[in-house]
Amino acid sequence: MAAIPAHAQDYLGSERCITCHEAAGAAWEGSHHALAWTEATPDNITANFDGTEFTLGDMQARFSLTPEGKAHVSVTERDGVTTEYDVHSVIGVEPLQQYILETAPGRLQSFDVVWDTEKGGWFHLYPQQNYAPDDGLHWTGPYKTWNSRCAACHATGFEANYDPQARSFASTQVEIGVGCEACHGPGSAHADWAETYETTREAPPPAHGFTVDMSDPAQMIEQCATCHSRREPYTDGNPIPGTPYHDTYNLSLLREGAYEADGQILDEVYVYGSFLQSKMYAEGVSCSTCHLPHEAELIAEGNAVCTQCHSPAGNPKFPSLPLKVFDGPEHTHHPEGSAGAQCKNCHMVERVYMGNDWRTDHSFRIPRPDLDAETGAPDACTTCHEDQSPEWAAAKLEEWFPGSTHRGPHYGEVLAHGRRDPARAAPGLRSLSQDTDMAGIVRATAIYLLEQAGDPTEAAALEALLQDPDPLVRSAAVRLQRAAPAMERAPRIMASLSDPSRSVRMAAAQSLLDAQIARMPPRYEVALRTAFGEWQASMASRLDFPETHLQMGGMALVMRNMPAAMNAFAEATRLDPQLSDAWIMQVRIALATGDEAQGRALLDTALARNPGNVTLQMMRRELTGEDMDLLPPTSAD
């Protein structure tokens, strides 16, 4: 059943919804969704603002209440400057609570000193990284700007509304917090039908008038994924719920730094990329199979979540399930009630993020300590048994499950080899990318690693993947074609300019940027212009992101527009002075255009902001003949 189109629909607000849907409203009120972003009232603030303080090195934060009862923070930074802030609003409710401070009219920043709601007391989210105020990663910097980095997933109907000329925000939202319409979509069509039903008795419209059909598992999963995923947005603020995921986001692949080599969570990746790897996702399990959507809680306690399917009775929705005991010593090989007997501790290993917030890996994987030598990734067994080795754990599993079919080759081995040497790993990566039994995110990651090898023969060999059913695979396949000469690349990806997925269309436009095609059929020219327009609109929606200006600078260089490239790289370093690559490009452009004085001045400024950067030091040596300073930079402490 298709949902109602988004156009001509209006948001009404959760209070309007609850007037009819009282039970759902009662379940939602007080949930982590409802409390994802709240006003700074005494009822919402759990921290102690009565004269408490926190110190980290030479940074100090003092927390107090104003005579009017407002929560207030006095921050003395590493440079000795003290600034006073009233708390603007509150993020979350447990196990930590974070506070938003307004550093300029309309500009909201998430403060790095947060309250531990379980133990009580303040702590710093990044205690090893006590950044100075002029560092891009400081809490006042561009990577901690609430308006553009975080608010869209903590609000309903949010628009960042960044003005690049004034470098300011005029953000708006229907309501703060994740309200009813953040998931279901604007409710005006639903309300129009419901309010006339008593007299008209008309059948409900598709999806009961909403833009998302939550009875469709695929739509539900994609809608949840809009926030519960590591991704790059294409639009400003919230896209209308129900917009296809790959029309609005570029999902992070299983890349180094974000995921372990075998696909386990490493950095904070917000569930979806893990879930896509799972057999459960492939078999039709959806978010609501395990989670109550309004309460944002599990449907049962402990192992009961799992045994609704994994038991001798099974679950008729999933007929491929083996019918046997899983919640018992014959399977767990641990005493009942112990930590080792909990399903999640073996199949959903947890990691802690944001200081004290434990999150589970949703790839639901079978422990594979035998892969340690190949992948270097952790395993569930030695995560608990820290005094034992992966070899010990592998021997135990062999003893407990001698007939297991789960100890064969694993895609993690191929990806691990690809990370180390994509050229030598190419045969395995190519085979993995073509294996349609594998998850699309795994296959797309294999293609991404092949792209790093830059071999045009691989682009030719995998041309058929441009027509793959999965948009993740198609996008990666388009990018792989960059390794091919322009005259071969262009005809291969021309059709991708009209792909159903915006992600693929934009990838095709980027891949044709340097193709220098003299003439093309009108229909392709129109498609190319349209795809370029989508790409440019995507960048224009994130002009307060330093990385956007890096991308724009690279685009301008390819088009030989040196002034535009210089402006883009300059804005990138204004936003983040530690972006050494952007400094390097500015220096090179100045020297290439004959302005040595500007090049020297830029280089001096770049080194003042990045004194330990070897590339910048080498550039100065080439210009001046001065010796390089290879001593480490002064400690931040």
Side-chain angles (χ1 to χ4, degrees):
M1 179 184 291
I4 291 290
H7 58 78
Q9 289 241 52
D10 296 317
Y11 287 96
L12 304 177
S14 296
E15 288 187 10
R16 178 77 174 277
C17 305
I18 293 172
T19 57
C20 292
H21 301 280
E22 294 180 6
W28 167 79
E29 289 180 322
S31 71
H32 282 220
H33 280 161
L35 301 177
W37 183 13
T38 56
E39 295 179 356
T41 64
D43 288 342
N44 293 332
I45 293 176
T46 61
N48 181 0
F49 275 83
D50 190 10
T52 55
E53 63 182 44
F54 175 86
T55 300
L56 178 65
D58 45 10
M59 185 280 293
Q60 186 178 51
R62 293 172 294 278
F63 304 90
S64 60
L65 295 171
T66 68
E68 298 77 25
K70 290 183 178 180
H72 184 82
V73 187
S74 176
V75 185
T76 301
E77 300 288 4
R78 287 180 49 196
D79 57 6
V81 175
T82 299
T83 310
E84 308 290 335
Y85 304 97
D86 284 341
V87 172
H88 175 276
S89 47
V90 179
I91 310 169
V93 59
E94 63 179 2
L96 69 152
Q97 191 172 73
Q98 194 170 11
Y99 302 97
I100 297 175
L101 308 182
E102 188 171 19
T103 58
R107 179 180 289 274
L108 307 179
Q109 301 287 144
S110 53
F111 192 41
D112 281 344
V113 179
V114 302
W115 182 259
D116 187 326
T117 64
E118 296 178 335
K119 297 179 180 178
W122 298 101
F123 70 93
H124 198 285
L125 288 175
Y126 312 102
Q128 305 304 317
Q129 303 164 340
N130 187 16
Y131 295 111
D134 61 351
D135 194 299
L137 291 170
H138 186 260
W139 72 268
T140 59
Y143 305 106
K144 307 291 178 65
T145 301
W146 178 259
N147 310 68
S148 55
R149 298 283 179 167
C150 312
C153 285
H154 290 253
T156 306
F158 181 82
E159 294 181 4
N161 294 327
Y162 178 69
D163 182 343
Q165 300 302 317
R167 295 185 175 124
S168 63
F169 290 92
S171 302
T172 62
Q173 61 276 325
V174 173
E175 60 182 296
I176 62 174
V178 180
C180 308
E181 292 164 299
C183 302
H184 292 279
S188 60
H190 172 75
D192 290 345
W193 164 76
E195 288 171 356
T196 60
Y197 177 73
E198 287 298 326
T199 55
T200 66
R201 295 293 172 176
E202 288 184 1
H208 284 78
F210 291 110
T211 56
V212 181
D213 183 357
M214 284 296 187
S215 67
D216 180 338
Q219 287 194 45
M220 169 183 278
I221 292 169
E222 282 206 357
Q223 185 55 35
C224 296
T226 60
C227 287
H228 294 277
S229 64
R230 178 80 166 259
R231 76 286 188 277
E232 171 194 16
Y234 295 150
T235 60
D236 173 13
N238 296 130
I240 293 293
T243 307
Y245 184 93
H246 297 286
D247 282 353
T248 51
Y249 301 105
N250 177 26
L251 179 66
S252 173
L253 300 180
L254 309 181
R255 296 188 180 184
E256 203 161 3
Y259 291 88
E260 301 281 1
D262 66 348
Q264 292 185 71
I265 57 174
L266 176 58
D267 201 5
E268 196 165 11
V269 290
Y270 309 107
V271 176
Y272 184 51
S274 302
F275 188 46
L276 289 177
Q277 301 173 59
S278 72
K279 188 175 181 180
M280 289 191 182
Y281 173 79
E283 294 293 332
V285 171
S286 71
C287 308
S288 62
T289 305
C290 301
H291 297 272
L292 296 167
H294 297 118
E295 294 88 338
E297 299 283 354
L298 291 169
I299 63 170
E301 295 288 331
N303 289 354
V305 177
C306 307
T307 57
Q308 63 171 324
C309 296
H310 298 281
S311 71
N315 187 324
K317 294 180 180 178
F318 309 108
S320 64
L321 285 165
L323 306 181
K324 61 180 184 179
V325 173
F326 289 92
D327 186 15
E330 58 265 55
H331 177 75
T332 68
H333 294 272
H334 285 76
E336 289 188 28
S338 68
Q342 294 183 36
C343 306
K344 70 173 186 175
N345 286 341
C346 292
H347 300 290
M348 301 180 72
V349 175
E350 292 181 314
R351 281 185 184 264
V352 65
Y353 302 103
M354 299 189 74
N356 69 347
D357 193 0
W358 290 91
R359 316 262 179 93
T360 53
D361 188 317
H362 277 61
S363 56
F364 303 101
R365 60 186 61 232
I366 293 169
R368 292 294 304 271
D370 57 305
L371 299 179
D372 171 73
E374 294 291 336
T375 68
D379 64 86
C381 307
T382 57
T383 296
C384 285
H385 298 275
E386 296 178 354
D387 58 334
Q388 298 290 353
S389 68
E391 292 77 14
W392 168 86
K396 277 292 182 185
L397 291 179
E398 179 77 39
E399 174 189 336
W400 292 344
F401 305 100
S404 174
T405 59
H406 300 296
R407 281 191 287 272
H410 189 275
Y411 60 80
E413 298 169 281
V414 180
L415 298 182
H417 293 166
R419 287 184 177 186
R420 292 193 289 266
D421 189 340
R424 291 187 63 183
L429 292 169
R430 189 187 322 119
S431 177
L432 180 58
S433 71
Q434 295 172 311
D435 186 350
T436 56
D437 289 334
M438 286 291 170
I441 193 171
V442 172
R443 298 172 61 210
T445 303
I447 300 169
Y448 158 75
L449 291 170
L450 278 174
E451 182 190 345
Q452 311 315 300
D455 187 345
T457 62
E458 298 297 343
L462 297 178
E463 180 181 356
L465 295 183
L466 294 167
Q467 310 301 323
D468 194 86
D470 193 317
L472 270 179
V473 174
R474 296 200 303 277
S475 296
V478 167
R479 294 187 177 93
L480 177 64
Q481 294 303 319
R482 296 174 185 174
M487 294 301 291
E488 297 176 17
R489 181 196 331 152
R492 287 177 190 163
I493 64 176
M494 203 64 71
S496 298
L497 293 167
S498 302
D499 191 273
S501 169
R502 184 179 185 183
S503 288
V504 181
R505 297 193 299 270
M506 286 171 49
Q510 295 169 34
S511 298
L512 288 172
L513 188 62
D514 64 342
Q516 298 179 345
I517 304 168
R519 179 184 297 177
M520 65 176 69
R523 65 190 178 96
Y524 288 131
E525 184 174 355
V526 170
L528 178 59
R529 289 183 181 277
T530 302
F532 265 123
E534 290 182 306
W535 181 25
Q536 290 174 319
S538 172
M539 289 190 288
S541 73
R542 304 188 307 278
L543 289 177
D544 67 310
F545 284 31
E547 56 268 42
T548 297
H549 294 279
L550 279 177
Q551 188 178 34
M552 293 172 67
M555 177 180 177
L557 281 178
V558 172
M559 301 178 75
R560 304 293 191 267
N561 187 339
M562 295 304 167
M566 184 64 104
N567 289 337
F569 292 128
E571 184 65 8
T573 53
R574 188 198 69 79
L575 289 165
D576 181 359
Q578 283 67 49
L579 279 179
S580 56
D581 287 348
W583 284 116
I584 291 166
M585 293 311 303
Q586 289 176 77
V587 174
R588 287 178 175 169
I589 292 171
L591 296 176
T593 54
D595 194 339
E596 184 173 333
Q598 185 189 24
R600 286 173 178 262
L602 283 166
L603 189 54
D604 287 343
T605 304
L607 278 165
R609 308 308 292 270
N610 303 276
N613 187 277
V614 174
T615 303
L616 289 169
Q617 290 194 31
M618 290 178 66
M619 293 179 78
R620 182 160 68 178
R621 183 179 183 182
E622 291 172 3
L623 276 177
T624 67
E626 296 179 12
D627 290 336
M628 294 172 59
D629 179 10
L630 297 179
L631 293 174
T634 305
S635 172
D637 296 330

